[in-house]
Amino acid sequence: MDKDVLITVGGLLYTGSGEGEKDNVDVISPGQYYFKEGKHYLFYDEVVEETPETIRNRIEITPDEVKVSKRGIINTEMEFRPKEETKTHYSTPFGTLIMGIRTDRIQVEEKDDSLEALIEYNLEVNYEHVSECFIRILVQPKTENGGFTLSE
């Protein structure tokens, strides 16, 4: 896969118990992809609505672990490892939250022309369970005409 890619990060959060509310979060952005020493590296900027600020994102993906680093108006280092709980500080302009991440599953599928990672986890904020979460990270190369191909 080429260096210049389209990165789609889609998230689904289930809040409450039983028939809790669902919330979809999707970010689609051009970015850069590198593969080095068995790790996939993604770099992209995320625009923050209603501000001139951006968040610089770095994602490292292996079959056993996904690390997400955010720098800018939001700062955090999140680690996802199956059957483990990790804690991190999630710093925003309004204050810092303590996040607990209990990863249930990571699935990584590598193809010649794409990379897909699925992550299932439970999220705690300030020691309170908030939601069950699902993240899908899809990486695709630019097309020959300079654009990007969107696929499901």
Side-chain angles (χ1 to χ4, degrees), residues 2 15 20-22 60 70 84 92 97 105 107 109 117-118 127 129-130 134 141 145:
D2 292 331
T15 58
E21 294 181 28
K22 263 191 332 188
E60 295 177 27
K70 293 180 172 284
E84 288 188 31
T92 75
L97 305 169
R105 181 173 77 106
Q107 179 181 332
E109 185 176 342
L118 302 171
Y127 305 102
H129 182 268
V130 184
F134 302 88
N145 65 6

Side-chain angles (χ1 to χ4, degrees), residues 102-146:
R102 169 78 179 155
T103 306
D104 295 319
R105 181 173 77 106
I106 294 175
Q107 179 181 332
V108 178
E109 185 176 342
E110 302 174 46
K111 295 182 182 175
D112 290 340
D113 62 345
S114 67
L115 172 70
E116 183 176 31
L118 302 171
I119 306 166
E120 294 179 22
Y121 66 100
N122 283 282
L123 178 65
E124 288 182 353
V125 175
N126 294 334
Y127 305 102
E128 295 280 331
H129 182 268
V130 184
S131 64
E132 295 175 27
C133 305
F134 302 88
I135 295 176
R136 177 181 182 237
I137 302 167
L138 179 62
V139 183
Q140 299 171 293
K142 285 173 79 170
T143 63
E144 289 182 22
N145 65 6

Side-chain angles (χ1 to χ4, degrees), residues 30-46:
Q32 290 79 45
Y33 166 85
Y34 301 94
F35 183 79
K36 184 177 179 183
E37 297 178 7
K39 293 183 181 179
H40 302 275
Y41 293 91
L42 309 174
F43 299 90
Y44 67 97
D45 290 333
E46 186 177 339

Side-chain angles (χ1 to χ4, degrees), residues 9 39 68 99 152:
V9 180
K39 293 183 181 179
V68 177
M99 288 183 19
E152 293 298 315

Side-chain angles (χ1 to χ4, degrees), residues 68-116:
V68 177
S69 173
K70 293 180 172 284
R71 295 287 176 259
I73 194 167
I74 298 208
N75 292 289
T76 192
E77 297 276 340
M78 297 180 283
E79 296 181 2
F80 302 87
R81 291 187 294 275
K83 306 302 178 199
E84 288 188 31
E85 184 173 346
T86 59
K87 297 231 184 278
T88 188
H89 290 92
Y90 193 86
S91 299
T92 75
F94 307 105
T96 299
L97 305 169
I98 298 171
M99 288 183 19
I101 299 166
R102 169 78 179 155
T103 306
D104 295 319
R105 181 173 77 106
I106 294 175
Q107 179 181 332
V108 178
E109 185 176 342
E110 302 174 46
K111 295 182 182 175
D112 290 340
D113 62 345
S114 67
L115 172 70
E116 183 176 31

